Amino acid sequence: MTSIVLDLQKEILSPNCDIVNVLRKAHLIAVKLKLSDFDQWIQYELNGYPDEESCPEYRKVRGILKYLNQYYGWYPIIIPNNEIEKIVCERKISNSISEIASLSDSSENDLLMKLTGEECAFLDEKCNAPIPQNYALHISSTAVKDIEEKVKNAILEWTLKLEEEGIVGENMMFTEKEKDCATNIPQTVNNYYGPTSVINSTSGNAQIVSGNGNTVSFTYDKVKDVVDEVEKSINASNLSQNDMETITELLSDIKLKIEEKKSPAILKAALVGLKDFLINVGAGVAAGIIQAKIQGLF
């Protein structure tokens, strides 16, 4: 028998994952389980949010304010006041996820967000502009693309919670017991991803979106914790002896790299390799742990 919840996990972990299709399947599951609050978030992601205030924190990005110089093109504006800079340069993107995916895929560099007439007039006054200027926020396409990853992570964590409670939906149907259990699953997206904050990167125009802190701080202990969590999940799974031996070797290799303080890039590559192998042998839960945690490690 097929499980719609486990099938959704596989789709999220696929390198060719279609985020819109993932959300549609999540919508189907949420409706069948009568999880109206969580389904509201899914529909907002599919159709767009009504305003910035209703957008989750992970949709907040920070751009670089620039004005259009007729001779030199777009030119950056330095705002010395931190509070004003935050008001002007930090925005939540309310577009539907399909628009976000299309915009980030079509641009290799920056995306432009035009300012309102009132905002432009305010900047003209503050900058003592002799004539009205054309202003726009230049936002890294990487920052916009990262919104997709956060949506994937939230849905993956949600499906893992469902599976943990025995809610799998065989043949696209849920039993009454599964429906009753589902009401105990948190329906707020922050329970699966958590509040985020936006900070500037010290490199180029890239933006970094981190978790509860203000920076992404790499530590070897955090990587070790993820390895330990994966190992516990593997020990509880039903895999062949050959697959278990291979996984044990891969885990031992990662542990050795941690002890030797190898570079974060090497450790990340090793974890991705382990995740891909786990997917191939059907250890979706363990692979999901890596997929959900890796964003906050490096």
Side-chain angles (χ1 to χ4, degrees):
M1 292 186 180
T2 59
S3 160
I4 187 172
V5 172
L6 299 184
D7 285 346
L8 181 54
Q9 289 177 1
K10 290 179 183 177
E11 184 159 354
I12 295 170
L13 295 172
S14 169
N16 299 318
C17 172
D18 182 342
I19 185 60
V20 175
N21 200 43
V22 163
L23 282 163
R24 285 173 180 157
K25 286 185 178 179
H27 167 59
L28 178 65
I29 294 171
V31 170
K32 285 178 177 286
L33 292 174
K34 296 182 171 59
L35 301 178
S36 56
D37 290 344
F38 195 75
D39 186 49
Q40 180 64 79
W41 168 72
I42 294 170
Q43 292 191 58
Y44 277 152
E45 287 295 332
L46 281 169
N47 303 314
Y49 289 82
D51 48 49
E52 284 193 30
E53 287 71 25
S54 59
C55 291
E57 283 298 301
Y58 64 78
R59 276 179 166 258
K60 183 184 289 182
V61 295
R62 173 171 286 189
I64 296 176
L65 180 64
K66 297 184 180 182
Y67 77 96
L68 187 58
N69 184 294
Q70 60 178 324
Y71 300 108
Y72 302 106
W74 288 104
Y75 215 77
I77 298 174
I78 304 300
I79 303 177
N81 186 297
N82 290 335
E83 291 186 9
I84 294 178
E85 181 189 25
K86 184 176 181 179
I87 293 171
V88 173
C89 296
E90 281 190 10
R91 301 296 172 95
K92 287 182 178 179
I93 299 179
S94 59
N95 303 58
S96 69
I97 201 72
S98 60
E99 291 178 298
I100 287 175
S102 177
L103 286 170
S104 58
D105 289 341
S106 64
S107 175
E108 295 180 358
N109 300 305
D110 291 349
L111 300 171
L112 268 63
M113 181 181 288
K114 293 296 183 70
L115 274 60
T116 65
E118 184 178 355
E119 290 170 329
C120 288
F122 171 79
L123 290 170
D124 282 338
E125 180 183 351
K126 292 297 181 182
C127 297
N128 296 318
I131 58 173
Q133 300 293 323
N134 186 3
Y135 302 94
L137 281 179
H138 289 238
I139 301 169
S140 165
S141 59
T142 305
V144 178
K145 183 72 175 177
D146 200 44
I147 294 173
E148 291 181 61
E149 297 304 316
K150 287 173 174 54
V151 172
K152 291 178 190 177
N153 288 344
I155 297 176
L156 179 61
E157 288 290 336
W158 177 60
T159 61
L160 289 171
K161 288 287 186 183
L162 292 174
E163 183 186 8
E164 187 179 329
E165 297 296 326
I167 305 167
V168 294
E170 292 184 349
N171 293 329
M172 298 184 70
M173 298 295 292
F174 293 95
T175 65
E176 290 302 318
K177 181 180 179 181
E178 287 178 315
K179 292 177 182 178
D180 289 339
C181 289
T183 58
N184 297 321
I185 302 293
Q187 293 194 54
T188 303
V189 68
N190 282 346
N191 289 101
Y192 304 103
Y193 189 78
T196 61
S197 57
V198 179
I199 62 174
N200 279 326
S201 167
T202 56
S203 172
N205 291 338
Q207 309 298 307
I208 301 175
V209 183
S210 64
N212 293 328
N214 289 327
T215 59
V216 177
S217 56
F218 172 82
T219 67
Y220 291 96
D221 285 340
K222 288 181 181 179
V223 181
K224 186 178 183 300
D225 289 342
V226 173
V227 172
D228 291 341
E229 192 174 346
V230 171
E231 195 166 24
K232 288 179 183 177
S233 176
I234 291 299
N235 290 335
S237 61
N238 185 21
L239 298 173
S240 69
Q241 184 177 349
N242 288 339
D243 289 340
M244 284 296 294
E245 288 176 355
T246 302
I247 292 169
T248 300
E249 289 178 5
L250 291 171
L251 287 169
S252 298
D253 179 62
I254 295 173
K255 289 178 182 178
L256 181 61
K257 285 180 169 61
I258 295 172
E259 291 176 5
E260 294 176 345
K261 302 276 194 257
K262 294 292 186 181
S263 71
I266 291 176
L267 287 171
K268 184 176 182 179
L271 284 171
V272 171
L274 173 61
K275 181 199 73 173
D276 292 341
F277 182 82
L278 292 172
I279 294 172
N280 290 333
V281 300
V285 174
I289 292 171
I290 298 175
Q291 177 74 16
K293 303 288 186 181
I294 200 168
Q295 288 288 329
L297 288 176
F298 304 97

